[in-house]
Amino acid sequence: MKLIFTDLDGTLLDHRTYSFEAARPALEHLRRNAIPWVLVTSKTRAETEYWRRRLGNEHPYIVENGAAALIPRGYFGASVPERLEWGRPYAELVAALEEAAREAGCAVRGFHGMTVEEVAVACNLPPELAALAKQREYDEPFELLDPPREAALIEALARRGVRVSRGGRFYHATGPADKARAVLALKRLYEEAAGPVTTVGLGDALNDLPFLRVVDLPVAVRSPQAPLLTAELAVARLTAERGPEGWNAAVLELTSE
C-alpha cells in the first residue's frame, strides 16, 4: 500500500495564495484509489482541521511540527487513542524563548507577542485564519530580528531543551518532538492495520527534512529551501514546479508507478 505524508504551506498549498486548485487531479486520484494522505504541518490543530475540511481529508494528521498526531475516532480501531503527543506545553516554550532571547541578546518576535492582525499580515492570511494560527499548543513560530545572534539564540534554547527548526516563513521553537517521530508512529499504525506500506513524503522547507529522511520516497517541492533538502537527501526527487503544481505531478507519478 502507498501512504502519503505531506506538508501544507508551499507544498500542497501555494505559498502566497494558499490555493490548492492545481493539486485537484492528484487529490481525486488518491480518493479514487483509496490511498491515505496524512497532513504533516507546523499549523495548529484548529488551522489543520479547517484545511482538512477544505481539502476533504479524512485521515490522521500531524500538527505543530510533529508535536501531536490526531486520529479520527475508530480509524485504527477502538484501542488506539485519538491523540498522540510528543510536544512540550506552549507556555513553557514561550517562557524559554523569552529567556533565551534575553540571554543571547537576540531580538525575536513570536506569535505570543503578535496580535491577530499582525499574524494576518505576516502570513498573508485573513483574520479568521490568523486567529486559528494563534491557537497554539506546542510550537512557537518566531521572527529572528537580529540575524548575527542566531547561533547564540539557538545555543541558549538548546540549554533549555528547546529545538529550533526553520519553516518557509518563520523559525519554530519546539520541544523534543519532530515530524519524523510522528510520521514513524503513524506508519507503524498503518502497518499494523494493513500490512507493509511504501511511504511517500513531500515537503518544501528545512523543517520537513526530519520526516523526509524516514520515508521511502522523499520529494522536495521546488522552493528557495528545496536545494538544501536535496543536498541532504541524495535520493530525493525535486519537482519541476513549485507548490501545488509540483505536488500534483509528483503524487500522480509516484502513486501510478
Side-chain angles (χ1 to χ4, degrees), residues 66-108:
L70 290 303
I71 301 168
R73 180 173 297 176
Y75 189 91
F76 292 116
S79 63
V80 177
E82 295 175 35
R83 182 188 292 238
L84 306 174
E85 293 181 296
W86 301 278
R88 280 176 65 179
Y90 181 63
E92 291 183 12
L93 293 172
V94 168
L97 178 61
E98 291 181 336
E99 291 173 3
R102 287 194 296 270
E103 179 183 307
C106 180
V108 300

Side-chain angles (χ1 to χ4, degrees), residues 141-163:
F142 66 93
E143 295 175 330
L144 190 69
L145 304 180
D146 193 2
R149 302 297 298 164
E150 177 182 358
L153 176 68
I154 291 173
E155 290 173 4
L157 284 167
R159 286 192 288 273
R160 292 163 172 81
V162 177
R163 296 181 183 181

Side-chain angles (χ1 to χ4, degrees), residues 3-151:
L3 173 59
I4 309 292
F5 290 99
T6 179
D7 178 46
L8 276 173
D9 288 353
T11 303
L12 176 50
L13 303 179
D14 183 271
H15 183 73
R16 293 177 296 102
T17 66
Y18 296 95
S19 171
F20 58 89
E21 285 302 310
R24 284 194 182 276
L27 292 172
E28 289 302 319
H29 172 78
L30 296 179
R31 293 189 187 101
R32 281 197 310 271
N33 292 278
I35 299 172
W37 47 294
V38 175
L39 303 179
V40 186
T41 179
S42 61
K43 292 184 181 298
T44 65
R45 178 174 55 83
E47 285 180 283
T48 311
E49 287 175 351
Y50 167 85
W51 284 109
R52 286 178 74 239
R53 290 191 295 272
R54 291 282 309 277
L55 292 160
N57 182 283
E58 298 178 347
H59 303 289
Y61 55 104
I62 294 165
V63 299
E64 298 197 40
N65 281 312
L70 290 303
I71 301 168
R73 180 173 297 176
Y75 189 91
F76 292 116
S79 63
V80 177
E82 295 175 35
R83 182 188 292 238
L84 306 174
E85 293 181 296
W86 301 278
R88 280 176 65 179
Y90 181 63
E92 291 183 12
L93 293 172
V94 168
L97 178 61
E98 291 181 336
E99 291 173 3
R102 287 194 296 270
E103 179 183 307
C106 180
V108 300
R109 185 172 78 145
F111 268 32
H112 70 282
M114 299 167 67
T115 65
V116 168
E117 292 72 22
E118 287 171 332
V119 171
V121 171
C123 299
N124 192 30
L125 287 172
E128 58 269 23
L129 290 186
L132 299 181
K134 279 181 63 67
Q135 294 181 27
R136 312 203 69 81
E137 298 172 272
Y138 314 98
D139 170 287
E140 172 68 335
F142 66 93
E143 295 175 330
L144 190 69
L145 304 180
D146 193 2
R149 302 297 298 164
E150 177 182 358

Side-chain angles (χ1 to χ4, degrees), residues 1-3 187-199 216:
M1 183 179 77
K2 288 283 178 67
L3 173 59
K187 179 186 177 183
R188 284 192 294 271
L189 290 174
Y190 275 103
E191 288 176 330
E192 291 169 3
V197 300
T198 298
T199 52
D216 300 310

